[in-house]
Amino acid sequence: MSADPALRREIPDATVARLPEYLRTLSRLAEDGVLSVSSEELAAEVGVRSAQLRKDLSHLGSYGVRGVGYDVETLALEISRALGLTEDWPVAIVGMGNLGHALASYSGFVTKGFRIVGLYDDDPALVDERVVGVRIRPLREIVDHHQVDPIAIGVIATPAPAAQAVCDALVGAGISSILNFAPAVLSVPEGVDVRRVDLSTELQILAFHAQRKSLAAGDLRSAVVAP
Amino acid sequence: MSADPALRREIPDATVARLPEYLRTLSRLAEDGVLSVSSEELAAEVGVRSAQLRKDLSHLGSYGVRGVGYDVETLALEISRALGLTEDWPVAIVGMGNLGHALASYSGFVTKGFRIVGLYDDDPALVDERVVGVRIRPLREIVDHHQVDPIAIGVIATPAPAAQAVCDALVGAGISSILNFAPAVLSVPEGVDVRRVDLSTELQILAFHAQRKSLAAGDLRSAVVAP
DNA sequence: AGACGTTTGTGAAGCCATGCACAAAGTTGA
DNA sequence: TCAACTTTGTGCATGGCTTCACAAACGTCT
């Protein structure tokens, strides 16, 4: 009977990447007591075109009302369902240096569906320390841990040279969704999903655009060049 | 005379986003003493198709040798130049909580062209503390700082509610490249470049794919549905 | 009840990025 | 010198994403 398109149809990756933004904005609107939004208004808040927003939402189903707009609560719930945030996602962080500590205490973590169940580091100076109520353990314990209390997502926050070994350990333990903060390309078997977040990549992209701006502004050197 | 394509031609955004990865891999190869690579080998290391790598590099110019491959040093240098990493980029971080500390001591920062020149936070408990040799100052001092010692890139590592105000301060001081770690959409005037890195967005995208995997594996519920 | 104004959902068109396949260009070895 | 082999650079086709533009659908007001 249920014909929930989120579970049957293919949702384009580009759309999935924008859904969290829509959801965040809708949550803020809901807190402010807003009951209904048009695609025009919501798109303006998020910074996309209204047509794009409508097409994105159309992949989830038909939750708007013509002539009126979208009910904020309903739409937020449907996006949550499409993203899988109505269930709970246990997360483990490996590498409890500065970044690991920052991630563990990051407030955005707990807000929606994510819950830290494990913190790992092999440095004896860190083991047994408690962060946000969770004790840091050596990585080798992750296999048992995962069997007792399954981990859905592993976060790698180690230095680059250790990343592949940590990744292998996570995969070996049976974890198939990995968020990698180390500046390294991980090789994983089929079926394992890796996303990478890299600070220096982002800085380099910014530098590229900054360079273009400064060249466009004040540079006359290469004004006349034959093709 | 110089016909450097990096300065004249348009480089697609998708290509720019991959260049840092190529550069990182080339640097590692250079350290390992590798002198030359084919597009096939390098593409395998990075995890892209060789045709894509060649097309990406063709936007920078023609630095390969047919029948041989690419000289590792030369190609690394040319990518560095295209990205603007041959110059030095002074960076300021605003928000010195856990994340700000982690970013400041992140090793990837200093490796290539980026240099931390300012750390800011309005919390009196943090002001005057020193991190990586730089003193934390209240945000209001950034205007004078920028005039004396220009800042190229501002990094926002504050909680979301403060982000827009901090952003306005950065823009007001004259900074036009911003890297935003706060989960908020920033509105900026024309000409200011903002990139956002968001942990919870990445987690949510992973959750989506994890959900699809588990549905595909064990769910028979919506097997028969009319279109 | 019916006309009017608003907003959604979606074909269709255009654009950008990816992947294929091959000629051009270089090296190596005889 | 020349043939055989390797690898680059790129024209072309393909596919996916974005944007446009409008019919269909809803609420409202008379």
Side-chain angles (χ1 to χ4, degrees), chain A residues 21 24 195-196 198 202, chain B residues 21 24 195-196 198:
Chain A
E21 198 63 55
R24 188 195 325 284
R195 293 191 64 85
R196 193 157 77 79
D198 182 16
E202 300 298 326
Chain B
E21 199 64 55
R24 187 193 329 284
R195 292 191 66 84
R196 193 156 77 80
D198 184 15

Side-chain angles (χ1 to χ4, degrees), chain B residues 58-96:
Chain B
S58 76
H59 289 115
L60 313 189
S62 195
Y63 299 113
V65 179
R66 295 174 192 228
V68 177
Y70 300 87
D71 179 79
V72 172
E73 293 274 1
T74 307
L75 188 54
L77 179 64
E78 290 302 332
I79 294 178
S80 291
R81 294 212 318 166
L83 287 172
L85 302 181
T86 46
E87 3 181 348
D88 196 64
W89 296 95
V91 175
I93 300 175
V94 185
M96 290 304 293

Side-chain angles (χ1 to χ4, degrees), chain A residues 62-200:
Chain A
S62 196
Y63 300 111
V65 179
R66 294 169 192 233
V68 177
Y70 300 87
D71 179 81
V72 172
E73 293 274 0
T74 307
L75 188 55
L77 180 65
E78 290 302 332
I79 293 178
S80 291
R81 295 212 318 166
L83 287 172
L85 302 181
T86 47
E87 3 181 348
D88 197 63
W89 296 96
V91 175
I93 301 176
V94 184
M96 289 304 292
N98 275 305
L99 180 59
H101 271 82
L103 294 177
S105 40
Y106 177 57
S107 59
F109 240 118
V110 281
T111 31
K112 284 279 179 182
F114 301 97
R115 185 170 48 94
I116 294 175
V117 297
L119 300 176
Y120 294 91
D121 202 307
D122 281 346
D123 182 349
L126 292 172
V127 169
D128 286 339
E129 184 188 319
R130 296 187 84 89
V131 180
V132 292
V134 179
R135 186 175 63 88
I136 299 176
R137 291 186 266 181
L139 185 56
R140 83 185 94 83
E141 295 184 14
I142 200 171
V143 178
D144 290 343
H145 176 190
H146 180 61
Q147 279 171 354
V148 175
D149 182 14
I151 297 164
I153 298 176
V155 177
I156 300 178
T158 64
Q164 183 64 57
V166 168
C167 176
D168 294 344
L170 292 174
V171 172
I175 297 168
S176 64
S177 297
I178 293 173
L179 184 55
N180 176 28
F181 283 88
V185 179
L186 299 177
S187 73
V188 292
E190 186 88 7
V192 176
D193 199 12
V194 177
R195 293 191 64 85
R196 193 157 77 79
V197 177
D198 182 16
L199 168 65
S200 65

